[in-house]
Each structure stands twice: as structure tokens, then as C-alpha cells.
Amino acid sequence: MLPAQEFDLLLGTLAKAGYELVGPTLRHGVIGLGVIERAEDLPKGVADEHAPGNYRVRSDGSPGWFGYVVGQESWKRYLFPPEQTLFRAERDEHVVRFAGETPETRRRALLGVRGCDVAAIAKQARVFDAYDPGSSAYGAALAQTFVVAIDCSHPAATCFCTSMGSGPAADEGFDLALTEIASDTEHYFVLRTGSASGRRIAEKLTLEPATRLHREAASAVSGRAVELIERGLDKQAAKRLHADHPEHPRWETIGDRCLSCGNCTMVCPTCFCSRREDTITIDGTSAEQRLVWDSCFNRDFSLAGGIVRESIASRYRQWMTHKLSTWHEQFGESGCVGCGRCITWCPAGIDITQELAAMAGDRGAPP
Amino acid sequence: MKTQRMDQLIGAHPFFEHLSQAVSEIVSGCGENQVFEPGEYLAREGQAADHFFLLRSGRVSLEVSVPGKGALIVETIETGDVLGWSWLVERYRWVFDARAVEPVRAIALDGRCLREKLGHNPALANELYSRFVRVLADRLTGARMRLMDMYSAPDDTSSDVP
Amino acid sequence: MSLSQPHPRPFRVCAVSDQLEDTWTVELAPADGKRVVAAPGQFNMLYAFGAGEAPISVSRIHADVLAHTIRAVGRVTRGLRQLVVGDTVGLRGPFGVGWPVETMSGGDVVVVAGGLGIAPLRPVLDTVARERSRFGRVQLFYGTRDRASLLFQDDLKTWTQQNIEVNVIVDRGSPDWRGPVGFVTQPLEAATINRSATALICGPEVMMRFAAGTLLRKGLNPEHLHLSIERNMECGTGQCGHCQLGPYLVCRDGPVFGYDAVSDCLAIREL
């Protein structure tokens, strides 16, 4: 049990252990992610409202520090940078030398990671580790990362983590997990440890043990959160979507609405697609290859002697069926964690859960 | 004796594979062996299509003469193929020139004779039409495929996937 | 933890030979003293200095020398066009699943190639020609645009000498072409095909769909039918997403697939 007034003790301990602290910060009216130093830097007393194509943060004066959910940014930028150098090449007459870039990995603590995002980190790790286990830059970055999860207390209208089995509380994949209990009379956190390094940090905090009352209050937070989740998605129908409905007319109607902007792929915490970009110096002697985030909504994303997905409908189908269905064949699980970002940040307000239900002939979990 | 031998020749040709005895007899009665030297025409565009040919060996090119371009070969007919469906299509005129590329041995079948029989012999009509439709379907599909010019380099030269 | 990102290996250009106006073959050997092991049907990412990488299938395997037959269609391949003997070129690979050469052993083989699709099949035909007694009847059906786009003419002669039945057919006739004119499915339709033969098809996707259709109509077992799928592979390791075909990552699960695995995908438009 960590009283709120001692929260800085946790942050200080992590900083002393060499971690840069990254957590939620309120910027430009959005809950973003940034470097924080003290509990003071957290967005306090604010709540967020989510709806398809709609997002607002409002001050509600509530006593909690984590009474909101995820903003448009996910943590993936810290483990899978939007842009990274892969290698450099030097040319001297006929000879070319290659040098792989050694990515800078810093010890970083991610503070306030929601269950959905904890699951997303594990999913991306499996993708990047699939080809050559233990050799990915992602894995190397993750090894230097300390994850402090926070259980969601105020799920948004776009959340559906319960359908994907990834929340509202994280079961695994964190070093420390916190449940915030905040009211006008009391404010404290109940801690769970999820790893050896989590236990080492927890030991340094010399915490008061949680009482039965504390633990009950913590489980009530998650219990209430589960009940507050309005959206649902039929996971079995999702898995079968690609096989069952590759040519459902609904794809066309989605295609009419979708702007192919790629927002959903940028905000999605599991989308991993990338492309390689090459540059060369003006004297032609040095070149560099970089890896940058790509999106399956880009017209020339897939080629086979020409553009494979010319229609927007086919690009949305690619994105949605990959996320929900074919990820299973490729990586042995669903690619969706139910964070709802793709719904909130879609300028056309396309709702993946609604679209699935329309195609599967299933309304999903009852509201 | 001659009929017997024609019967065997026709039965051995892929186009008339598994032909019933009755139909085989009728067809054989209309058949005649012919030989063509390279360059020799088996048919000329616009002329009466009174025959079709079963190629026993050799190659025939279907050509169309284009001013300024000479004789364009639109397709070749190979050993084991059948040449000529114009005898089945009213007005009965050859559509293309057909010319031997190599020495050709063929069985020429009298289309006029068979045409008359088709009308009152459903078994014969069924055999001939179904076999010709299969051949035409293959050639039509092939022609449509070739229309795509699918082996040429992609237009979009930004792509590096050939 | 220090971890270096994967980067191309330097390969030395041993030979460059023009095939067609826009198509040529480069032979590459490792320049770092290490070995390279490639299987027929696999591909490499070839790096044109400063321009980027392109997926190129291996068109001949001769010990440590790998041939790549390239058509200049984009920025990278035009960059690779500049290579001369003695140059260094970057290579990542070999990647992917190749042709089932081992399981073909002892049986008949039908190879159907369309256009540049003959290139990834050449190592298979080389193997067959070299170890001819391991295989039964071997038929090659090679369709291409015209006489001027006919690849590997010397090889076609060699294979014929090795008792491989070579059938070449062109889409467009020309005065200098005395052979068959038509689409590749036509000689395939006319040929006698052993139902238990193994068939390998490589070419434009449409051509593969139709050639597969012809073979299946002729009674070939779909389990013995294999296709090589073309997509813009970028990473080669199933991590960039570009080469997805439904449930598959073509660079990792292919490029050679069993017909049954991909036939449904090929029937869906814009997949």
C-alpha cells in the first residue's frame, strides 16, 4: 500500500535505479506521454470523454490522478521508434562496407501503462521476436524497460478490453502494477509486483502492507470498471472474420466512409508495419537506411507488379482482418487489445466493434 | 479398307478421343489424308470453309495480313490440335489464313457433308459441338490472357517488384 | 545491452550478363569470407547503394555463387543495373521457403513458367538436369511475351539434351519465331500430364491461377501443385507487413506455397 502523498518515493526510487520516467501528461488538451519527474506532473482531477471520432478532456475536480484512459499516443514509440537507423554503408571505389546501427537503449520506466497497453507491448514483442528470437531491437529495448501498470478505474465508452482479455487490470507483463483508490477522504495505491525487478523496487519503498480492506477496495475498482465497459467484440467472430466475410458488402460501405488517413494504424499500440527509407550523401560515398512506421492504408503499401489494394475498402479490410483474424495465423493470437484508440481517433468515426458485429450478424457483448 | 484405316487415324487423334463407334463411322466417311509443305496454305481468309483439319503432325500458323506489318501470326495450331471452326458458323467462310509452318500431315474433314448430317443426327451434333466448344473455350481464354500482355514490365516504374 | 541492427552482407559481383534489353543476370559471391547457402525458390534482398533494397529470387546456385536475374523496373533495380564485375553489392538473405525439390524426387515433374517467372525455377531445372536419374518425366512449359523476351536460351538447349521436354510458347508471333504462338495454358491443355506429377508454377499471378486451373482439370493432385507468390517483400523476416497475403507473410511462409494454401486468397480481389 502506497499512500498518494508518498507517490514521489516510487518515482524517486525508479529514478535512482537509473530509469527515465515517462508517464501521462496533459498537453494541448490531450492526455499524452512525456517525461515526468514528480507526481505533480501527472494530469490530476481530469477525466476524458471518448466516442467514435470524438475526444475531450475535462477537469472534473475528481480526487484521482489516473481517472482517465489512453490518449492517442501509445507506448510503442518508446520501444519501436517511429524512425530508426538500421545501417550505414560507405563506398570507396568498388568496395562497400556496411555497419549495423546499435540502437541507443535507455533504461526507462513507463508509468501508468493500462492493461490494454501492457498486452500490446507483449504482442509487439512476439512479432519482433518471431523470426530470430532474442535478437530484436524491440526485445533489447524492452529488456531495459520497467513497466508500471495502472488498473483502469474509469473506462471510456470506446474501451473493449474485457472482450480481448487484456483489461481493465493487467495480469502479467508488468514489473509493478498499481490500483488507485481515490475519494474525498482517502487516496492510496495498492501495489502488485510482476517481476524480480518489480520486487526489488517494491522492497526499497518499505511499504505498509495492504490490509484486507485495501485489497477489497482495489478489487472493487476493477470490478466496477468491468461493469462500466459498454463496448464488446465477439472474439470468435473476430477470429473468423477473414475466413467468413472476405467479400462482405459492408467493406464497401466502410470504404466509402474511410479516408484512408492511417490514423488508426498510428494510434494502434500493436500495429507494427514499417518501411525502409534510403538516403545517400551528395558525394555518393555514404548511405543510410532507416526504418519508419508505415501504414497499410498507404496506396503503395502492397505491390505485386502494381498496386495490390487500390480501393480503400480493401485497405480497411486488410487492416481490420489482420488485426482481428489473420494475426492468429501469423503470430498465434489476436492483434487487438481493445484499447479503442482506432475508434476514438478515426476522423470518420468508424467503429471496429460495430463493423464486426454488422458483418458477423452478432451485436457482440450486450451493452 | 480405306475407311477402316481412316477410322483408326481419327480414333487416334486427341480431338476425337473416346468417340463412339457410330459417330466415328460417320466422321471417318468424310475424312481424307492431306499433306502440306511449309508455306502452303490450308485455308485463306474469306474463302468458303468447307473443311476442318485434324493435325497429325506439324504446325500451322493462323495469320492475318496487315498492311505495313505483313502477315501477323495470331496463334499457331499444333500437332494433335484441330484447325477450323468456320465450317460450323453460318456463311461458312474462313476467318484467318492458315499456313503450314512445318511439313504438315492432316486429315481434312468435309464440313459440307458433316453439316448436312448434323441437323438430323443429334448424337453426331452433340459430339462435334461439345468437342469444338471445348477447343474454342481454350483458345478464347488463351486469347483473353494474351490481351493482358501480362509479361511486359509494369507501367508503374516506382515499384521494384517485377 | 548492445545489439546491432541487421545489415546487408557485402557480396562481390563475379559476372554480369545481359539477358534482354531490360533484364540481366548478376552473379554474386560472399565478400566476407563466410559461406552462403541458398535453396531453389528462395530470394535475397539486394541493396543498390543509397537507393534501397529489392527482393530478387535466386536464379542459379553454384556453390557460393548466386545468380540473380533482374528486370529494371524501379529505382532500386535501375541502381543495380549499374553494377560491374568487381563491385560490392549488399545482400540480405536468403529468405523464405523454396520449391519442394526433395519431395519431387522419384516422380514426374511439370514446370510452368511465365515471363520472368522462369528465373526462380531455373535452379530447380538445373538440379533436375544435373541429377536427371532422380526424376521421372520432366516437362517444362514456358510462356513468354515474344521471341525478344525469351530468357535462358542456352539453358533451354541444355535441359532439352538432359531429356527435359521443353515447350516454349509466345503470346505474340513475329517473323523470327517459328515456334508455337498462344497462351501457356494451351500446350498444357494439349499435353499428357501424369496425375501424380509434382507441378511448380511461377509467373504473373493471373497466369498461375489459370495454369493451376488447367492442371487441376487434367486431374493433377492439388497437394502436388506449388506456386511462387510475388509481393513487395521488404524485411524478409515477417516484420514489416508489406508482403501479407491473407493469413500469410509471403517472405516468411512463402514465396513458394502449396496450391491449397493460397487458392482461396488468390480468388479474393485486392487481398
Side-chain angles (χ1 to χ4, degrees), chain B residues 15 73 80 133:
Chain B
F15 183 71
I73 299 174
V133 164

Side-chain angles (χ1 to χ4, degrees), chain C residues 195-256:
Chain C
R195 285 162 182 247
S196 63
T198 301
L200 315 178
I201 314 181
C202 186
E205 203 169 292
V206 190
M207 167 263 169
M208 292 199 290
R209 293 208 306 262
F210 281 76
T214 302
L215 285 168
L216 294 174
R217 229 178 14 258
K218 291 178 77 72
L220 196 98
N221 184 341
E223 286 173 26
H224 297 163
L225 187 52
H226 306 269
L227 318 173
S228 181
I229 301 289
E230 166 192 340
R231 280 293 182 280
N232 53 329
M233 286 76 101
E234 252 189 65
C235 64
T237 57
Q239 295 172 4
C240 77
H242 289 271
C243 66
Q244 285 180 76
L245 176 71
Y248 304 110
L249 294 157
V250 172
C251 72
R252 180 191 79 174
D253 305 323
V256 174

Side-chain angles (χ1 to χ4, degrees), chain C residues 13-261:
Chain C
V13 177
C14 314
V16 179
S17 53
D18 280 352
Q19 302 285 346
L20 311 171
E21 203 175 317
D22 62 350
T23 307
W24 71 104
T25 298
V26 286
E27 292 176 34
L28 307 175
D32 57 7
K34 288 182 232 151
R35 300 221 53 193
V36 62
V37 179
Q42 287 192 306
F43 69 94
N44 288 313
M45 298 302 304
L46 296 191
Y47 172 73
F49 194 82
E53 295 172 303
I56 309 288
S57 61
V58 178
S59 68
R60 176 153 281 162
I61 303 163
H62 184 72
D64 267 345
V65 179
L66 304 181
H68 299 77
T69 301
I70 311 170
R71 171 146 71 178
V73 291
R75 202 161 56 98
V76 176
T77 43
R78 282 195 296 270
L80 295 170
R81 187 73 165 128
Q82 311 305 317
L83 293 173
V84 296
V85 172
D87 277 351
T88 314
V89 64
L91 181 152
R92 288 189 303 117
F95 293 118
V97 178
W99 302 107
V101 178
E102 285 318 304
T103 60
M104 281 162 31
S105 194
D108 291 353
V109 181
V110 178
V111 176
V112 190
L116 200 50
I118 186 87
L121 286 164
R122 188 166 70 158
V124 177
L125 292 157
D126 284 345
T127 304
V128 169
R130 201 170 47 236
E131 303 164 35
R132 188 64 189 85
S133 58
R134 276 178 61 200
F135 305 91
R137 184 179 184 198
V138 181
Q139 296 158 284
L140 166 65
F141 298 87
Y142 171 28
T144 187
R145 185 177 194 267
D146 49 25
R147 170 73 181 76
S149 67
L150 193 58
L151 282 164
F152 308 146
Q153 293 178 53
D154 293 342
D155 297 312
L156 297 175
K157 285 186 198 120
T158 309
W159 297 334
T160 306
Q161 285 158 11
Q162 290 299 321
N163 195 26
I164 294 173
E165 296 168 38
V166 175
N167 303 277
V168 180
I169 187 160
V170 300
D171 272 7
R172 296 173 181 216
S174 55
D176 60 350
W177 176 250
R178 311 289 292 171
V181 178
F183 192 63
V184 71
T185 49
Q186 291 170 287
L188 206 53
E189 183 71 46
T192 333
I193 303 285
N194 180 348
R195 285 162 182 247
S196 63
T198 301
L200 315 178
I201 314 181
C202 186
E205 203 169 292
V206 190
M207 167 263 169
M208 292 199 290
R209 293 208 306 262
F210 281 76
T214 302
L215 285 168
L216 294 174
R217 229 178 14 258
K218 291 178 77 72
L220 196 98
N221 184 341
E223 286 173 26
H224 297 163
L225 187 52
H226 306 269
L227 318 173
S228 181
I229 301 289
E230 166 192 340
R231 280 293 182 280
N232 53 329
M233 286 76 101
E234 252 189 65
C235 64
T237 57
Q239 295 172 4
C240 77
H242 289 271
C243 66
Q244 285 180 76
L245 176 71
Y248 304 110
L249 294 157
V250 172
C251 72
R252 180 191 79 174
D253 305 323
V256 174
F257 288 93
Y259 175 80
D260 281 341

Side-chain angles (χ1 to χ4, degrees), chain A residues 218-340:
Chain A
S219 80
V221 166
S222 290
R224 211 165 43 240
V226 168
E227 282 172 21
L228 286 171
I229 288 177
E230 300 169 10
R231 268 189 169 64
L233 181 150
D234 179 341
K235 215 175 167 185
Q236 287 312 310
K239 190 175 177 180
R240 290 195 314 267
L241 177 66
H242 182 263
D244 287 356
H245 301 294
E247 298 196 300
H248 196 287
R250 187 84 181 189
W251 296 119
E252 294 301 325
T253 56
I254 303 173
D256 290 343
R257 295 171 63 201
C258 174
L259 307 173
S260 202
C261 69
N263 265 14
C264 48
T265 57
M266 296 294 108
V267 299
C268 177
T270 68
C271 270
F272 60 82
C273 289
S274 62
R275 67 172 177 273
R276 287 157 185 256
E277 290 185 350
D278 293 85
T279 52
I280 185 167
T281 52
I282 196 131
D283 65 357
T285 59
S286 341
E288 184 181 306
Q289 186 171 89
R290 284 174 308 163
L291 193 75
V292 301
W293 286 1
D294 203 351
S295 169
C296 52
F297 285 91
N298 288 333
R299 183 169 170 263
D300 60 355
F301 182 78
S302 283
L303 305 170
I307 309 286
V308 172
R309 296 180 204 105
E310 192 64 68
S311 74
I312 293 179
S314 71
R315 289 180 231 163
Y316 194 91
R317 178 184 63 189
Q318 167 61 31
W319 178 73
M320 183 169 162
T321 56
H322 183 222
K323 194 66 56 188
L324 299 181
S325 306
T326 55
W327 200 298
H328 284 277
E329 281 98 345
Q330 293 173 7
F331 303 106
E333 59 186 343
S334 169
C336 179
V337 294
C339 72

